[in-house]
């Protein structure tokens, strides 16, 4: 039976009680609209810990005024059902006032891997993510927290936050879950029409082609330009970025090091991101 709590006090009391019994606690932060990708994060958490806490909170601070905060999918009853089936021990479902009470005036800004890529297009995004994730870590005091590799830059930013603030928890990155055609699971896939879904499914193949070209020694600028062209020819309306970066720092990629090809592209009203590994060996 999943315990559902809405207050920080109740969350803290339960996690502290578990830890006092010597149990290891994992946190999976989410914004709800749970899909198989989230369930894989919960599985990764349950493999490593005795208790799994999932937070469901659509964080207004990571949405720009022009973005989809109001229309972001909210389906708490369905989500709680999924948590129950996944064997999650506790759901933390705070309201906005619980997280950001009247007069809240603090923001966490992480440098390093937050530079460029998403930040060039969503300048306030990572401050919003770091602020809420930092609060969730302090509120729930977990031994570890699991984040998806799908939001690869976010994963790097969260790791940097934990490292720089000496927060006493481990950050675990969990591989992206894809449909049978390679489309990365995302809550925003729900916005895609049938025709857009077909186009979206080409994104991962294009990234894999680019990564294997780089692994095979192709010129980086030529490969990135070709990948951008491939994304547009697949039917996307615009490419925000397609770039090769080092996998740990997100600094410019160096040949013969592990890297990632990262992309953000727009399709109708939906913005999709994805990334694939560039293997050094
Ligand atoms: O990846 C997400 O769903 C969100 O950015 C997160 C980490 C839950 C913070 O709101």
């Amino acid at each position: 039976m999943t315990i559902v709590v809405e207050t920080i006090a109740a969350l803290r009391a339960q996690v502290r009680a578990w830890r006092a019994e010597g149990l290891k606690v994992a946190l999976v932060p989410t914004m709800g609209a749970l899909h198989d990708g989230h369930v894989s994060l919960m599985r990764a958490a349950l493999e490593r810990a005795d208790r799994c806490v999932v937070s469901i909170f659509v964080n207004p601070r990571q949405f720009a005024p022009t973005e989809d905060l109001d229309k972001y999918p909210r389906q708490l009853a369905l989500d709680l059902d999924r948590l129950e089936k996944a064997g999650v021990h506790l759901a933390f479902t705070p309201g906005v006032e619980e997280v950001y009470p009247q007069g809240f005036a603090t923001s966490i800004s992480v440098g390093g891997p937050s530079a460029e890529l998403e930040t060039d297009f969503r300048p306030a995004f990572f401050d919003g993510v770091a602020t809420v994730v930092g609060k969730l870590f302090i509120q729930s005091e977990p031994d570890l927290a699991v984040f998806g590799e799908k939001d690869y830059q976010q994963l790097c930013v969260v790791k940097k936050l934990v490292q720089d603030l000496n927060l006493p928890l481990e950050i675990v990155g969990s591989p992206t879950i894809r449909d049978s055609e390679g489309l990365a699971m995302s809550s925003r896939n729900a916005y895609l029409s049938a025709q857009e879904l077909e186009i979206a499914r080409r994104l991962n193949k294009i990234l894999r082609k680019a990564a294997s070209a780089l692994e095979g020694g192709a010129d980086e600028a030529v490969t990135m330009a070709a990948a951008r062209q491939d994304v547009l020819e697949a039917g996307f309306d615009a490419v925000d970025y397609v770039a090769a970066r080092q996998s740990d720092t997100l600094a410019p990629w160096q040949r013969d090091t592990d890297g990632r090809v990262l992309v953000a592209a727009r399709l109708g009203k939906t913005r999709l991101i994805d990334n694939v590994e560039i293997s050094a060996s």
Side-chain angles (χ1 to χ4, degrees):
M1 185 80 187
T2 307
I3 306 166
V4 182
V5 301
E6 292 180 2
T7 65
I8 296 160
L11 168 70
R12 244 189 211 141
Q14 182 58 73
V15 174
R16 284 187 179 172
W18 282 331
R19 292 187 63 155
E21 285 176 53
L23 299 173
K24 195 167 175 182
V25 179
L27 171 71
V28 180
T30 81
M31 297 207 297
L34 302 177
H35 48 67
D36 290 350
H38 293 112
V39 174
S40 78
L41 304 184
M42 295 166 206
R43 273 200 214 106
L46 285 162
E47 275 165 21
R48 292 168 174 81
D50 306 297
R51 293 289 180 269
C52 176
V53 173
V54 172
S55 60
I56 298 181
F57 178 65
V58 182
N59 175 31
R61 290 193 161 233
Q62 66 190 75
F63 288 78
T66 50
E67 290 177 348
D68 56 351
L69 174 62
D70 291 338
K71 110 174 158 57
Y72 196 84
R74 288 167 173 86
Q75 44 171 60
L76 187 59
L78 276 175
D79 287 347
L80 292 177
D81 196 46
R82 278 207 100 137
L83 296 189
E84 183 77 48
K85 290 193 175 108
V88 167
H89 299 90
L90 186 144
F92 177 48
T93 62
V96 175
E97 275 295 301
E98 181 70 5
V99 181
Y100 301 119
Q102 200 68 29
F104 184 86
T106 298
S107 179
I108 303 179
S109 191
V110 179
S114 71
E116 302 172 353
L117 304 171
E118 285 300 292
T119 297
D120 286 345
F121 297 88
R122 310 177 73 192
F125 176 67
F126 286 122
D127 285 3
V129 169
T131 302
V132 80
V133 165
K135 280 173 71 77
L136 285 166
F137 291 164
I138 292 165
Q139 291 159 359
S140 61
E141 302 172 337
D143 296 283
L144 61 107
V146 185
F147 290 80
E149 286 184 351
K150 155 141 186 314
D151 298 293
Y152 196 81
Q153 192 176 11
Q154 170 173 277
L155 172 63
C156 296
V157 168
V158 171
K159 283 184 176 165
K160 190 76 181 132
L161 165 78
V162 165
Q163 181 190 19
D164 285 359
L165 297 187
N166 309 109
L167 299 177
L169 77 152
E170 181 197 353
I171 299 301
V172 175
S174 192
T176 305
I177 299 297
R178 302 181 180 280
D179 75 3
S180 55
E181 307 271 331
L183 177 66
M185 298 279 173
S186 163
S187 305
R188 290 189 168 97
N189 292 351
Y191 303 152
L192 298 171
S193 67
Q195 196 196 354
E196 288 173 338
L197 196 58
E198 287 314 306
I199 296 169
R201 285 185 163 138
R202 296 187 200 146
L203 194 57
N204 184 252
K205 295 182 185 84
I206 295 167
L207 290 191
R208 279 196 280 117
K209 181 176 144 197
S212 67
L214 293 176
E215 285 163 358
D219 178 80
E220 183 185 338
V222 171
T223 307
M224 292 303 104
R228 179 176 282 270
Q229 192 55 34
D230 286 349
V231 174
L232 293 172
E233 279 171 15
F236 280 83
D237 298 305
V239 180
D240 282 355
Y241 59 81
V242 54
R245 295 299 174 101
Q246 288 178 38
S247 50
D248 45 358
T249 58
L250 296 186
W253 179 65
Q254 312 271 329
R255 192 162 294 286
D256 302 326
T257 63
D258 285 332
R260 291 266 160 178
V261 183
L262 304 106
V263 71
R266 296 177 191 263
L267 185 52
K269 294 196 166 91
T270 311
R271 183 173 183 275
L272 296 177
I273 62 171
D274 199 356
N275 67 89
V276 299
E277 189 180 356
I278 311 163
S279 173
S281 51

